[in-house]
Amino acid sequence: MAPIKIALVGIGKIVRDQHLPAIAKNSDYQLIAAASRHGTVDGIDNFKSIEAMLDAVPAIEAVSLCMPPQYRYEAARVALDAGKHVFLEKPPGATLSEVADLEALAASKGLSLFASWHSRYAPAVEAAKSFLASTTINDVQVIWKEDVRHWHPNQEWIWAAGGLGVFDPGINALSIVTHILPRPLFVTKAVLEFPENRDAPIAASITFTDGQKLPVAAEFDWRQTGKQSWDIVARTAAGEMVLSEGGAKLSIDGKLVHEEPEQEYPMLYRRFAEIVKAGKSDVDLAPLRHVADAFMLGKRKFVEAFHD
């Protein structure tokens, strides 16, 4: 089969660090164009808007949308209306309703829509899922704390309404938890900390449970300094499981049992090629639903102003 002619929209740090290398190493793709207000990609045609790109390069078969979530719906709709398959960076949109609308539009046109959750493809995630399926889980703790100044310097969009704030990294944890636990979760309580000068939270404490009353607690914080914390800890009948470093390592009772090199974005693009070839979509909204529920149930707590 000929490679999928793909285009990138929104050329920023994540594209340069992850998307470009993953596409370059995958023979299922041929990158032929890019659109971005500020960035460009060497060796291909570049445009200032997705509309201009699609008009000028009709050979494009799929687009990967990597702009902030507040702007992704309009771009996705333009691409789907033009008959292109669509890859959505995480989170897939600013609201559940708009992603549901895109899913319905893709289905009506026989196109593939992919809500990509890169952390689900971390090396030890499947091993953690298998371990938890084999035992009784007593409780789960999620500790996802990082330094926003390091990971998102001067990115004002992430603090705006719809930018999700600390849930931008926190949704990575939720994408893993909703994948590895055996039953669906729901939020029971949340406290969201908002800086006085921002429209999105800098920290969140959330409690969840499931149909069998499993206690699950999550702590998200963007004020971490020093070593970053991306851990999921489960106390089980077979010992304490720690899925650490964002899903890269799995330990049971302190013994490392699974570790592999990181291949998250290459696996995402492999999955996208699979669904395009199969003529189907992959749109799991569970992680985004939990963020929405946290905002619905959450008590707002205002903290001191944040400045980069």
Side-chain angles (χ1 to χ4, degrees), residues 37-296:
R37 288 184 299 170
H38 305 296
T40 60
V41 178
D42 293 340
I44 59 174
D45 292 329
N46 289 272
F47 301 87
K48 291 295 184 182
S49 71
I50 186 173
E51 292 87 354
M53 180 184 72
L54 293 175
D55 285 344
V57 191
I60 293 168
E61 296 172 295
V63 296
S64 186
L65 301 181
C66 308
M67 72 283 282
Q70 300 99 312
Y71 312 109
R72 206 168 290 145
Y73 172 79
E74 293 298 336
R77 191 162 188 99
V78 166
L80 291 169
D81 281 337
K84 316 303 180 185
H85 307 290
V86 175
F87 177 120
L88 300 169
E89 245 292 1
K90 68 87 191 171
T95 71
L96 291 161
S97 316
E98 64 186 23
V99 183
D101 186 60
L102 294 175
E103 186 176 15
L105 179 60
S108 73
K109 293 179 175 292
L111 296 167
S112 296
L113 183 70
F114 184 33
S116 67
W117 300 108
H118 66 84
S119 290
R120 283 187 177 172
Y121 293 85
V125 168
E126 290 302 324
K129 182 176 182 176
S130 295
F131 172 78
L132 292 177
S134 71
T135 187
T136 300
I137 309 168
N138 298 321
D139 61 65
V140 179
Q141 285 187 299
V142 182
I143 305 100
W144 222 259
K145 300 180 179 181
E146 61 183 52
D147 184 354
V148 65
R149 292 183 174 92
H150 175 77
W151 298 103
H152 299 280
N154 303 310
Q155 293 184 12
E156 291 301 315
W157 66 265
I158 212 162
W159 292 107
L164 298 190
V166 75
F167 286 107
D168 181 78
I171 206 168
N172 293 334
L174 295 176
S175 74
I176 296 174
V177 170
T178 54
H179 183 66
I180 65 175
L181 291 183
R183 296 177 297 275
L185 295 175
F186 50 91
V187 177
T188 58
K189 184 190 301 184
V191 176
L192 311 182
E193 297 186 26
F194 285 75
E196 294 173 344
N197 61 334
R198 303 289 181 169
D199 292 325
I202 197 169
S205 300
I206 312 169
T207 59
F208 304 83
T209 192
D210 64 10
Q212 295 189 17
K213 302 192 182 302
L214 174 69
V216 178
E219 293 289 334
F220 303 147
D221 202 316
W222 251 355
R223 298 165 295 195
Q224 180 96 324
T225 57
K227 189 178 185 301
Q228 310 288 275
S229 301
W230 302 301
D231 303 322
I232 297 170
V233 181
R235 290 191 311 118
T236 80
E240 183 179 80
M241 183 203 84
V242 180
L243 184 61
S244 60
E245 299 185 18
K249 296 180 179 180
L250 178 66
S251 299
I252 308 297
D253 285 338
K255 180 181 178 182
L256 183 65
V257 297
H258 195 98
E259 180 182 18
E260 295 178 30
E262 186 271 314
Q263 286 286 306
E264 293 177 16
Y265 277 83
M267 292 182 71
L268 283 179
Y269 275 97
R270 193 179 310 159
R271 175 61 177 160
F272 186 44
E274 287 174 356
I275 66 171
V276 168
K277 292 174 184 178
K280 61 183 183 180
S281 291
D282 183 349
V283 185
D284 179 10
L285 293 181
L288 189 59
R289 267 202 311 274
H290 288 312
V291 173
D293 287 351
F295 275 100
M296 288 181 68

